[in-house]
Amino acid sequence: MGFRQWLQGYFKTHHPLFPGAIAALISVTMGLGGAWQPLERLGYGVLFNLRPELKWNPRITVIAIDGKSLQDYGQFPWSRDRYVELLNALNNSSPAAIGFDILFLDPSPQDESFARAIQANGRTILASAGPEEEPLPVLKDAAAAIGHILHEPDSDGISRQGTVWFNGIPTLSLAGVQVSENQSPETLLNQIPPQAIVKPYPEFDFQNVWINWPGKIQQVPTYSFVDVVEGRVPPNAFDNQVVLVGFVATGIDRKISPLQPITGVYVHAAILDNGLEGRFLKRLSPVMTGVILIGISLSMSWVWSDRGLMRFGLAQLQIAAAVGFPLAWFAIALGAFTWGNWWIPVAAPIGTMLLAGIIVQLRDRYEKQQLMQLFAKQISPEMARVVWDRRDEIFNQGDLPPQELIATVLFMDIRSFTTISESLPPRELLSWLNDYLDAMSECIMEHGGVIDKYIGDAIMAVFGLPFPRQNPEEIQADAMNAIAACLAMDARLKELNQRMKAEGKPLIQVGMGIHTGPLIAGSVGGKQRANYSAIGDTVNVAARVEPLNKEIVAYNLYHLLVTEETYNYVCDRYQGVQVTELHLRGKQQETIIYSILGERPDEDSPNSSV
């Protein structure tokens, strides 16, 4: 793949929203597959335990079949006379409705007396467990209403949903509201917000709602069955109350709320509370949840990217964002739960935030690795890190945009390469040449140079890429580095020639030419292939200076010639001597050429020459 094609692909994936799109796809897919559900259930419990307890509706009262009652009246089931006694005791007060969370399915000798007591009371609701488990007809006909007591906890055992409608029968709780408020079940169902309905099942005539647990059941006035019958409870305790009669004895009809273990009668009490208060728990639709997850993932992708909040590059800021944004979302969720009765997702949004951050980090790590590999053979690792840190300055729409800058260009060539190439077999020639190019390139990159290209046995390198220098001191430093690289190459070449001699291979002699001036750097090539390269008059001048080494031998110990422009930058450190003048086409003045003799001793003045 060419450099241009890589950059085009890079910028498609480097867009700050790209990781967010991937995170959104993963998160929404997880939501559709139910992967977030276990975590959301944990969040549900945390919200209930952190939210201040709501007060139960004061009209709810429970008459408990508890351990004390079982001890006095014996094991269950009891004689129907016990319920007649209870209704007679309650006739001394004025309850708004009395709902029995007890099934009366089997006939008994006391059914007629129990039916008369129900009819005399006029506000009694009996329980059903479905079409085949309804109260005895004699009792059903006497009741003010029938309410089902079906309830199915979630798979983890916690009661989060309540079935308010099943096969044309309201739940015992809504039947209590129906009798106490004199409203039809259909009217009550229509008053439930659509966001509180779990999922309608019209084909099964089945409907669940989300239960908004008010608080711990200790808030609910609860009286022992036997105490009510024996008259140990003041009659006015039940005035205008919706009374639920059911088990509270340990081990019978056991359920679990998000706050504590309970029994089934308190599930009906919670639904009754929500109906009377109009505060069923509401949830967002799957579509709205998906939109929120997509919005969060895209937003967090931008925040985590180097174009968003992370462009400041502060580790403390990244840590603060990693902790602060999830905490902020949780605070929003807790606020909505506390004051709006909204159970908005907690785990999925926070997980999406972290997922977007992880994908951004992975994307950046991958891109950095790719960029390092791309430049590894052209620039030093230190320069590659600088390129990475400042990549947005040089990448633009999938290309390296052209830049005008002042840089130092180096050309070097092997003397008599054609003769040497004719004397070696191709395999040996390439091995010999690669050893040389590897050694020279290493010296160039160690001194901050960029390998522009290899032209056969020639090397073109540039000092001052890829970022424009801002002041003369930086331009001078590039020129100094170029000279230092040449001296290092000369020393390295002597070591290499010793090895070549020992191996019986041809020795290498080179010529080096340097010029400093303005040039243009950018992508050069067509649509199918492009290279990052430097072009301009400065490159041409450096290319013309290098061949002069064939003619100029005196005072040219390092086979290194530089133009006057370069020498003016380096003369404070390196000693040189003017050796010739070069006439370049299109220029009126001659270009003065210096040879470099080595580093200037400290006592030498900048103007001294040989």
Side-chain angles (χ1 to χ4, degrees):
M1 180 173 62
F3 186 70
R4 180 187 182 94
Q5 287 74 17
W6 182 88
L7 281 177
Q8 289 173 342
Y10 169 83
F11 264 89
K12 290 177 182 178
T13 60
H14 184 65
H15 193 283
L17 300 185
F18 179 77
I22 298 299
L25 179 62
I26 295 174
S27 182
V28 171
T29 302
M30 290 176 63
L32 294 175
W36 290 119
Q37 188 178 50
L39 293 175
E40 292 295 354
R41 287 177 172 179
L42 289 176
Y44 172 92
V46 171
L47 291 172
F48 268 112
N49 283 277
L50 290 181
R51 180 184 74 175
E53 285 192 19
L54 301 178
K55 297 296 183 182
W56 286 75
N57 184 280
R59 295 182 60 201
I60 300 174
T61 300
V62 171
I63 295 179
I65 300 175
D66 55 1
K68 180 180 179 182
S69 301
L70 292 173
Q71 183 177 0
D72 288 359
Y73 290 161
Q75 293 299 314
F76 209 79
W78 293 336
S79 167
R80 302 273 163 86
D81 289 340
R82 297 298 183 190
Y83 306 112
V84 174
E85 293 173 356
L86 177 67
L87 291 178
N88 290 336
L90 291 175
N91 285 336
N92 295 325
S93 58
S94 301
I98 303 171
F100 281 90
D101 184 19
I102 303 167
L103 291 173
F104 300 105
L105 306 179
D106 299 322
S108 75
Q110 298 84 24
D111 288 341
E112 290 293 339
S113 60
F114 186 31
R116 287 193 297 271
I118 293 174
Q119 193 167 23
N121 176 270
R123 291 184 175 274
T124 301
I125 306 159
L126 297 183
S128 165
E132 297 181 359
E133 293 186 285
E134 292 190 344
L136 293 168
V138 63
L139 302 179
K140 181 179 179 181
D141 292 341
I146 301 297
H148 75 78
I149 56 174
L150 298 173
H151 177 71
E152 187 69 27
D154 288 340
S155 57
D156 58 358
I158 296 178
S159 296
R160 298 182 180 88
Q161 307 175 28
T163 303
V164 294
W165 188 263
F166 181 75
N167 285 346
I169 303 175
T171 181
L172 184 70
S173 309
L174 290 190
V177 179
Q178 169 192 348
V179 171
S180 64
E181 305 298 324
N182 195 26
Q183 293 183 355
S184 68
E186 290 77 11
T187 300
L188 296 175
L189 287 172
N190 291 334
Q191 292 173 356
I192 299 176
Q195 299 87 350
I197 298 173
V198 178
K199 184 179 180 181
Y201 293 91
E203 63 274 23
F204 300 111
D205 199 16
F206 175 85
Q207 189 166 289
N208 275 13
V209 293
W210 296 106
I211 302 175
N212 188 4
W213 289 93
K216 293 186 176 180
I217 60 175
Q218 285 75 11
Q219 292 184 28
V220 181
T222 302
Y223 303 101
S224 175
F225 190 106
V226 66
D227 286 342
V228 176
V229 172
E230 299 296 330
R232 291 191 284 268
V233 178
N236 60 4
F238 305 103
D239 286 346
N240 199 34
Q241 297 291 294
V242 180
V243 179
L244 298 176
V245 183
F247 296 96
V248 300
T250 304
I252 302 178
D253 197 20
R254 188 174 185 272
K255 302 290 188 292
I256 302 175
S257 81
L259 301 171
Q260 64 191 130
I262 58 172
T263 57
V265 69
Y266 290 107
V267 174
H268 299 298
I271 299 174
L272 177 59
D273 169 272
N274 291 179
L276 293 172
E277 296 286 343
R279 59 181 177 191
F280 286 103
L281 200 59
K282 294 171 286 188
R283 297 203 69 182
L284 300 175
S285 68
V287 173
M288 183 57 67
T289 300
V291 170
I292 289 176
L293 293 181
I294 293 172
I296 286 176
S297 59
L298 294 179
S299 300
M300 293 308 301
S301 176
W302 183 87
V303 167
W304 289 113
S305 73
D306 48 25
R307 300 184 191 182
L309 187 63
M310 296 304 109
R311 69 182 183 273
F312 299 106
L314 298 177
Q316 298 88 339
L317 192 61
Q318 294 179 346
I319 295 174
V323 175
F325 285 112
L327 286 179
W329 180 263
F330 185 81
I332 292 172
L334 182 59
F337 197 77
T338 302
W339 294 289
N341 300 320
W342 279 96
W343 174 22
I344 64 175
V346 175
I350 293 177
T352 301
M353 292 180 191
L354 300 179
L355 186 62
I358 291 172
I359 294 177
V360 168
Q361 295 300 317
L362 292 176
R363 193 269 314 263
D364 284 354
R365 181 172 296 182
Y366 172 77
E367 290 178 351
K368 184 174 183 179
Q369 182 182 26
Q370 296 296 308
L371 194 61
M372 291 295 188
Q373 292 177 355
L374 182 67
F375 284 106
K377 296 183 179 180
Q378 295 180 292
I379 59 178
S380 66
E382 293 76 17
M383 179 60 73
R385 282 190 286 271
V386 173
V387 170
W388 170 255
D389 292 337
R390 300 174 62 180
R391 58 195 180 278
D392 286 335
E393 296 181 29
I394 60 175
F395 293 149
N396 181 27
Q397 302 301 323
D399 277 323
L400 294 175
Q403 299 183 92
E404 294 185 13
L405 43 83
I406 297 177
T408 297
V409 180
L410 162 68
F411 273 89
M412 65 181 303
D413 195 8
I414 298 177
R415 299 279 81 90
S416 304
F417 176 74
T418 302
T419 302
I420 294 172
S421 64
E422 293 174 351
S423 65
L424 291 176
R427 187 181 298 273
E428 293 185 17
L429 176 65
L430 284 179
S431 175
W432 172 83
L433 180 61
N434 286 333
D435 287 343
Y436 156 76
L437 293 175
D438 183 63
M440 299 302 101
S441 299
E442 185 175 332
C443 292
I444 291 171
M445 290 190 292
E446 285 177 351
H447 290 84
V450 176
I451 305 296
D452 186 286
K453 62 175 66 73
Y454 298 109
I455 312 170
D457 61 306
I459 300 174
M460 174 184 168
V462 183
F463 294 78
L465 294 180
F467 305 104
R469 303 316 190 194
Q470 304 298 323
N471 53 63
E473 289 76 15
E474 292 179 334
I475 298 173
Q476 181 184 32
D478 289 332
M480 294 279 194
N481 289 336
I483 302 300
C486 290
L487 299 184
M489 286 190 288
D490 181 80
R492 186 75 172 271
L493 191 58
K494 290 177 181 178
E495 298 175 2
L496 184 61
N497 276 331
Q498 289 179 358
R499 181 163 64 85
M500 296 291 185
K501 183 177 181 181
E503 295 175 357
K505 296 180 180 179
L507 303 184
I508 300 174
Q509 293 183 347
V510 299
M512 296 177 281
I514 294 177
H515 177 53
T516 302
L519 52 78
I520 297 175
S523 294
V524 178
K527 294 182 178 179
Q528 300 302 318
R529 182 175 177 83
N531 290 316
Y532 183 72
S533 184
I535 59 175
D537 185 63
T538 296
V539 177
N540 298 332
V541 172
R544 290 285 302 276
V545 171
E546 182 274 321
L548 296 177
N549 285 281
K550 299 176 183 179
E551 305 170 5
I552 300 173
V553 178
Y555 303 112
N556 195 6
L557 176 63
Y558 296 103
H559 309 287
L560 171 59
L561 300 178
V562 304
T563 62
E564 182 180 20
E565 287 79 2
T566 299
Y567 185 68
N568 287 337
Y569 282 114
V570 304
C571 61
D572 287 345
R573 179 180 300 177
Y574 296 100
Q575 188 175 9
V577 59
Q578 180 179 338
V579 291
T580 189
E581 294 180 353
L582 179 64
H583 178 73
L584 297 173
R585 182 182 303 175
K587 293 189 177 183
Q588 296 181 352
Q589 292 184 340
E590 299 287 334
T591 300
I592 300 175
I593 307 299
Y594 288 79
S595 68
I596 298 299
L597 305 178
E599 287 197 61
R600 184 181 296 280
D602 293 339
E603 63 271 12
D604 286 350
S605 65
N607 296 323
S608 64
S609 61
V610 177

